[in-house]
Amino acid sequence: RNATGANNVGLGHYSGTNGGSSTLSGDNNTLLGSGAKPISYSASNQFTVWAGASTTTGSGGYNVLSRNSSGQWIINITTSEVTSIGNGVSLEVNGTTGGVLMPRLTTAQRDAIVSPATWITLICTDCTATDGSTGVMQTYNGTTWKNHW
């Protein structure tokens, strides 16, 4: 529905249309749920599971699970729509009731992230903590990686 791209699949009333006002022009997108919206209407190879939209207008709601055209994933446990992901982020989890097992990277793997997003967090497996142990949770503050120890 309202799709000019090729091989798009929308399951649910108004999926891919933003309540009928926007046209999905990318290719190979899959949108599930009433009013399901992609991260970008012009990008390709996206996947979204949508919840909470009006079944009569397709408006409202939020993405529960999304994959953008760069292969980055969002898991959203709140009731607010998430529309973008920062550079170097593989997965964004939005919620207030649980924790996350962080990615574990060596210093070389961490340093290979081009323009990391501010507040990206990981475990640096070969970094040294102040007590001499290895394996340190680190966050990029926009300028440098900071240890959490």
Side-chain angles (χ1 to χ4, degrees), residues 4-8 24-30 41-46:
T4 59
N7 303 316
N8 291 305
L24 179 60
S25 61
D27 299 329
N28 305 313
N29 295 293
T30 302
Y41 280 91
S42 60
S44 296
N45 303 312
Q46 302 174 94

Side-chain angles (χ1 to χ4, degrees), residues 96-123:
T96 58
T97 59
V100 176
L101 180 59
M102 303 306 298
R104 294 157 303 280
L105 286 74
T106 64
T107 302
Q109 291 168 326
R110 179 203 68 193
D111 292 346
I113 299 171
V114 178
S115 301
T118 301
W119 305 122
I120 186 174
T121 301
L122 52 84
I123 304 297

Side-chain angles (χ1 to χ4, degrees), residues 41-65:
Y41 280 91
S42 60
S44 296
N45 303 312
Q46 302 174 94
F47 176 83
T48 296
V49 176
W50 198 260
S54 166
T55 57
T56 56
T57 66
S59 61
Y62 55 96
N63 47 335
V64 177
L65 175 66

Side-chain angles (χ1 to χ4, degrees), residues 72-97:
Q72 298 168 302
W73 286 90
I74 298 171
I75 296 174
N76 186 15
I77 311 169
T78 68
T79 56
S80 300
E81 180 181 355
V82 177
T83 59
S84 65
I85 305 174
N87 292 333
V89 177
S90 299
L91 172 68
E92 179 173 327
V93 178
N94 294 299
T96 58
T97 59

Side-chain angles (χ1 to χ4, degrees), residues 122-138:
L122 52 84
I123 304 297
C124 180
T125 58
D126 60 356
C127 293
T128 305
T130 55
D131 69 353
S133 64
T134 55
V136 180
M137 180 182 287
Q138 294 185 323

